[in-house]
Amino acid sequence: MHSAQAYNECALLIGRDDFYRPAHQLIWDTVAGLVATNTPPHPVLIRGEIEKQGQLHRVDGGNLIIRLGADTLPGPMAAHFAEKIAETARQRRYDAHSNALKAAITRKADGDELASLVAEFQQGEQLRENTGRGPAHLVASLLNWDQFFTTDFGAIQLLPGKLMGPGQQITLVGDGKAGKSLFTQEWMWRMATGQGFLGDAPQAPVRILYLDAENGQEQVQERFLSFGAGPRNMGELKYASFPPIRPLDTPGGGADLMALVKATQAELVVIDTVSRFISGPENDADTWLGLYRHTLLPLKRDRIASVRLDHFGKDKDRGGRGSSAKTQDVDHVWELAAQGGGALTLKRTHTRTGIGPDSFSLLRQARRDGDNWALGGTRHVLMTYETESGMAAIPGTAEHIVAQLDKAGVPTDWGSPRVIKKCAELGIKAAKSKIEEAVRIRKNRTPPDLPPHLPYSPVTNNSPETGGPPNKTPGQTSPGEVQGTLPPVPAAPPSPRPPSIEGGGGADIPRDTRDQRAACDVCQRPLNQDWANRGYTTHLGCDPATGSYPTAPNDAA
């Protein structure tokens, strides 16, 4: 009492709950009300306020206020006595907790109930430590305008891969076997080791905490080895396999995660897959609001980024399964879709900022080495395209529409209504008849040549390299991924085609005597005829600039 400044200093250390006697709690609340209205907390004014409330009997008719007001101490000493009050209150809480445990043991409580009592107490203490005592933690959220307007937010660099910025929260959605985990694991490993990703320049390593309740440890090991990782080059990546944390849509789960983040000093958290870390129904908006309130909000408040993986619902056009509330709190939503033959599309369907690319066309490369996936042979790279020429360079033609749809990663099995709608979204202006013609061309054409080391796809019937290990599951498309079944292996190679009447390639270029198709300018293996007719002179995986090309049998095209 007597000094508003002394009260403010004490309020940084203690709150009303730290007082044992209800009468003292009432006086504390009354002083807080006077200070909030810039009224001096004099004992006479405090007594008057309590009398207005009809609570004077709780403070011995006002005598308690007079006695406390007479015992004054220097203002600088107030904080010292507040610390003593806080420590005494802490001892009382531990004493009450021990008594609760003893009472539970006396009534023969099982281990789960005892563990729950301990966890609830620890959570409460952790909450007090995180939020502080009194209003200091609330005032800390107020913006400092000078510092705020001198911060150049536009200069913040996107994280490697350009899918998100520091402190942002994103969702990666895809089919169950699209390879979301495989993509994210490589992305996180390269980010944690300071490597570039998807053509982006290397940056300083990022401290990453990966929570995995989806993939077995044997799969995780196989995948990281295939990326080229090992025990000595995992960088700043901390990986929690099936962590025993409580559901993240509950207060306990949020406290568990924040404790793990604090222990690892993580700058980015991955949740794989989010449905494995919640307790409420996916279709219930309260589940996702609880996830945000207890887990994502504390992360965002501390500028800790997060990536959560999710599955598509029954209707892919509606995004991830479950309530729409799950997309309302994230900065970006990315959808990953497999197009066959190792080709992938990554599209941003929701964004708060609009910063960075909106889509990527990717190629998943994977090589075998005997019975295993080759060390360092698995990676995701940006897919590049040849410069448009001929009719494809003329807007409004069917060929131009085909080229634009291919670049946008539109599936070839889409019908005219969906393609017409997609053309409008992409800004492709053309007559309806031309779009329908482009749809027929895309459905009737043969698949383009792809690097022969790519995994089998039920869309392109592109098989893995011959001589694969017998102990791998049929249809394994990349490290840890399973999809479809392998096509039957032909008993004998197909008969060679007749010589091309158009020639192609020149007599000075070595040719495969079993096949007279045009040869690739880089690897000298035959090109798919349709691919060559469209003006391409190299396979998709061959690089004319460096002369590099995938290792494959001569008859693979």
Side-chain angles (χ1 to χ4, degrees), residues 450-519:
L450 293 171
H453 64 270
L454 291 177
Y456 164 72
S457 165
V459 178
T460 64
N461 288 330
N462 181 47
S463 305
E465 292 181 353
T466 57
N471 60 338
K472 293 293 181 182
T473 305
Q476 189 164 1
T477 61
S478 49
E481 294 296 329
V482 178
Q483 176 173 335
T485 57
L486 289 173
V489 180
S495 301
R497 295 185 180 184
S500 172
I501 61 175
E502 299 179 2
D508 58 333
I509 301 178
R511 302 295 303 272
D512 189 333
T513 58
R514 296 174 298 171
D515 197 327
Q516 295 301 315
R517 290 176 291 172

Side-chain angles (χ1 to χ4, degrees), residues 246-531:
R246 288 167 287 182
L248 297 182
D249 56 333
T250 66
D256 288 346
L257 178 59
M258 293 308 295
L260 197 53
V261 167
K262 186 176 181 180
T264 58
Q265 297 183 328
E267 300 172 276
L268 188 152
V269 176
V270 179
I271 305 174
D272 183 5
T273 301
V274 67
S275 60
R276 309 292 188 190
F277 287 94
I278 58 174
S279 58
E282 287 190 65
N283 291 325
D284 192 342
D286 288 341
T287 299
W288 305 106
L289 294 176
L291 176 68
Y292 177 75
R293 181 167 55 250
H294 301 304
T295 298
L296 301 179
L297 178 59
L299 289 175
K300 197 161 192 173
R301 183 169 53 223
D302 291 344
R303 295 280 299 165
I304 298 172
S306 69
V307 178
R308 63 182 195 250
L309 277 59
D310 197 7
H311 296 301
F312 271 130
K314 294 182 179 179
D315 185 356
K316 292 184 179 180
D317 292 336
R318 299 181 63 182
R321 68 189 185 194
S323 171
S324 60
K326 64 166 62 176
T327 62
Q328 295 176 1
D329 57 84
V330 295
D331 295 289
H332 309 288
V333 177
W334 291 92
E335 292 186 358
L336 181 69
Q339 303 299 323
L344 305 168
T345 57
L346 188 61
K347 299 180 182 179
R348 186 167 63 182
T349 60
H350 300 77
T351 177
R352 289 181 186 271
T353 65
I355 299 175
D358 288 320
S359 63
F360 295 89
S361 295
L362 310 177
L363 193 63
R364 176 177 295 151
Q365 299 177 340
R367 291 187 292 105
R368 287 223 184 252
D369 182 11
D371 292 347
N372 302 302
W373 295 99
L375 298 178
T378 299
R379 61 176 181 165
H380 296 83
V381 298
L382 290 176
M383 188 180 294
T384 58
Y385 298 89
E386 299 287 347
T387 303
E388 294 178 0
S389 60
M391 296 297 291
I394 303 175
T397 63
E399 290 79 1
H400 176 78
I401 299 171
V402 169
Q404 296 301 314
L405 294 175
D406 288 345
K407 286 185 178 181
V410 176
T412 57
D413 60 351
W414 277 20
S416 296
R418 295 183 72 182
V419 172
I420 291 174
K421 181 179 178 181
K422 189 64 178 179
C423 285
E425 295 176 1
L426 297 173
I428 302 174
K429 298 180 180 180
K432 179 180 178 183
S433 60
K434 291 296 183 181
I435 297 177
E436 293 174 343
E437 181 183 352
V439 170
R440 290 193 297 271
I441 292 174
R442 298 180 84 233
K443 287 186 175 181
N444 294 332
R445 70 187 179 188
T446 57
D449 285 350
L450 293 171
H453 64 270
L454 291 177
Y456 164 72
S457 165
V459 178
T460 64
N461 288 330
N462 181 47
S463 305
E465 292 181 353
T466 57
N471 60 338
K472 293 293 181 182
T473 305
Q476 189 164 1
T477 61
S478 49
E481 294 296 329
V482 178
Q483 176 173 335
T485 57
L486 289 173
V489 180
S495 301
R497 295 185 180 184
S500 172
I501 61 175
E502 299 179 2
D508 58 333
I509 301 178
R511 302 295 303 272
D512 189 333
T513 58
R514 296 174 298 171
D515 197 327
Q516 295 301 315
R517 290 176 291 172
C520 172
D521 290 347
V522 178
C523 69
Q524 305 303 321
R525 295 196 297 272
L527 289 169
N528 178 281
Q529 191 62 45
D530 179 70
W531 191 250

Side-chain angles (χ1 to χ4, degrees), residues 233-244:
N233 65 337
M234 295 305 293
E236 298 291 342
L237 178 60
K238 300 294 187 295
Y239 205 98
S241 179
F242 297 95

Side-chain angles (χ1 to χ4, degrees), residues 95-109 114 117:
D95 182 58
H97 173 57
S98 64
N99 290 334
L101 284 177
K102 292 176 183 177
I105 294 173
T106 301
R107 67 172 186 271
K108 308 297 184 183
L114 295 176
L117 288 173

